[in-house]
Amino acid sequence: MNILILGNTSDAHAIHIKNALIQAGATANYLDTSLFPKQLQISWQPNTQLGYLTLPNGRELNIQNIHSVYWRTFSGVYVPEFKDSRQQRVAYNDSMSTLRTLMQVGSTKWINSWQAYQFHKEKPLQLSTARQVGATIPPTLISNNPQQVTEFCQNYEKVIFKPVYGGAHTQVVTKAHLEPQRLKMTLSLAPVTIQEYIPGTNIRSYVIADSVYSAEIRSPSVDFREDLDAELIPIELPDSIKKQCLAIAKAFMLEWTAIDWRVKPTGEYIFLEANPSPMFIHFERQTGFPITEKLVKLLMN
């Protein structure tokens, strides 16, 4: 059984999954897209649906024989600098188009898919979709309008801001951030996501197919993902929130994800984010949840 790991040996999670797959009896190789087109080779015939992937070590795989791919990190493609910028743009676009085709043709199961990866990048749409399937989301504004940002912040006792595209770097909004000239200059460069700060408990739920594993994360940080010393305590979710986890994963086209919640003192769960390729090794070691085992089973089934 041929299984690929989208990533390389610089990532501990890619190494971990590869080793686990080999121990389970699968044939596992890295798919490092930064080596395409110089060292990776891709061929595909739309009329016959035949295609081949030749790895840097010379191993050739029929695309139809690649059982699944574990999406850990996507590095894009690497096209060297051309003297002619137009030719370089053409080479880059052609390489990306070929790679995106590989990610979407044939019977190969991608965990997670290109479509899920693209959806994840649209964080405002992700929040809206979560709300549509029944999750509660924080009061949120995505804007580069200084007046609307200022008015939104005045409506709440405590407000945070973070990148629209996602990631860490969540910070509390201060009076200095809202100074008119500074705010105007900042928002002229890019929009920002502003949210009411939700006091309460951090919960992370890992969803793997129809399994859900959750733990409380105790950390004083505004963004617990930046706290390496956060304490993890396994918990059992209410049935209604378990169902929301599965509904969110389905709506986001995710067979595997980590969903972050904030639980208010009242017990209300607030959806924050769903990650299509979350880190999990530390979480698994601290909680004892069989995440690796479930992921291997998902990739090999």
Side-chain angles (χ1 to χ4, degrees):
M1 181 181 294
N2 293 307
I3 299 177
L4 299 178
I5 295 96
L6 188 65
N8 54 50
T9 55
S10 66
D11 186 280
H13 285 74
I15 297 170
H16 178 80
I17 286 295
K18 182 181 179 184
N19 290 338
L21 286 167
I22 291 172
Q23 289 177 9
T27 300
N29 288 278
Y30 296 112
L31 175 60
D32 184 355
T33 61
S34 68
L35 301 179
F36 182 69
K38 189 172 183 179
Q39 297 180 59
L40 272 173
Q41 297 173 0
I42 300 172
S43 303
W44 188 62
Q45 301 179 48
N47 56 319
T48 62
Q49 299 292 300
L50 289 175
Y52 295 90
L53 173 68
T54 306
L55 301 174
N57 62 9
R59 184 167 185 223
E60 187 174 82
L61 296 174
N62 185 321
I63 291 175
Q64 299 297 334
N65 292 336
I66 300 173
H67 182 74
S68 60
V69 182
Y70 173 69
W71 188 300
R72 175 52 202 150
T73 54
F74 178 53
S75 304
V77 299
Y78 175 71
V79 174
E81 187 173 346
F82 288 24
K83 291 183 179 179
D84 186 328
S85 60
R86 179 182 172 278
Q87 288 183 336
Q88 182 174 9
R89 186 168 60 252
V90 169
Y92 175 83
N93 288 339
D94 285 351
S95 297
M96 278 299 297
S97 180
T98 301
L99 186 57
R100 289 195 300 267
T101 296
L102 171 68
M103 292 175 167
Q104 298 176 79
V105 300
S107 58
T108 302
K109 177 170 62 176
W110 287 74
I111 300 173
N112 287 293
S113 67
W114 172 260
Q115 289 82 1
Y117 171 73
Q118 290 298 306
F119 181 80
H120 172 70
K121 295 193 292 185
E122 317 303 344
K123 288 300 176 64
L125 182 59
Q126 186 184 91
L127 282 171
S128 178
T129 302
R131 182 177 178 275
Q132 289 173 13
V133 298
T136 301
I137 64 173
T140 303
L141 172 69
I142 296 94
S143 178
N144 68 329
N145 184 307
Q147 180 179 345
Q148 292 185 14
V149 168
T150 300
E151 290 176 355
F152 182 90
C153 292
Q154 290 171 345
N155 289 329
Y156 302 98
E157 182 178 342
K158 190 174 181 180
V159 180
I160 59 170
F161 71 93
K162 56 187 178 181
V164 176
Y165 191 75
H169 314 300
T170 300
Q171 296 183 44
V172 175
V173 175
T174 66
K175 289 184 179 180
H177 291 125
L178 297 177
E179 192 279 319
Q181 289 303 315
R182 176 179 176 178
L183 186 63
K184 181 179 179 181
M185 184 276 293
T186 301
L187 295 179
S188 70
L189 300 175
V192 67
T193 294
I194 306 284
Q195 290 181 326
E196 179 189 12
Y197 174 77
I198 308 296
T201 304
N202 293 310
I203 303 291
R204 170 161 282 198
S205 299
Y206 284 90
V207 182
I208 312 168
D210 58 357
S211 298
V212 181
Y213 302 101
S214 300
E216 176 184 336
I217 303 173
R218 294 184 179 176
S219 169
S221 301
V222 174
D223 190 334
F224 67 82
R225 292 169 298 181
E226 299 178 345
D227 183 1
L228 299 178
D229 297 319
E231 185 181 3
L232 305 174
I233 303 170
I235 65 166
E236 189 68 27
L237 291 179
D239 287 342
S240 60
I241 303 302
K242 274 189 178 179
K243 290 178 181 178
Q244 281 190 13
C245 285
L246 297 172
I248 288 168
K250 182 178 180 180
F252 291 13
M253 299 169 283
L254 297 168
E255 294 191 61
W256 139 251
T257 183
I259 299 174
D260 293 326
W261 305 91
R262 181 65 60 85
V263 184
K264 288 183 173 182
T266 59
E268 183 182 19
Y269 277 69
I270 309 298
F271 170 85
L272 301 179
E273 182 183 16
N275 192 317
S277 182
M279 295 186 287
F280 64 90
I281 295 175
H282 176 68
F283 188 97
E284 181 176 53
R285 287 172 180 168
Q286 292 294 311
T287 62
F289 290 143
I291 296 175
T292 300
E293 177 186 334
K294 291 288 186 177
L295 276 174
V296 168
K297 183 177 180 181
L298 183 61
L299 287 162
M300 294 184 68
N301 280 352

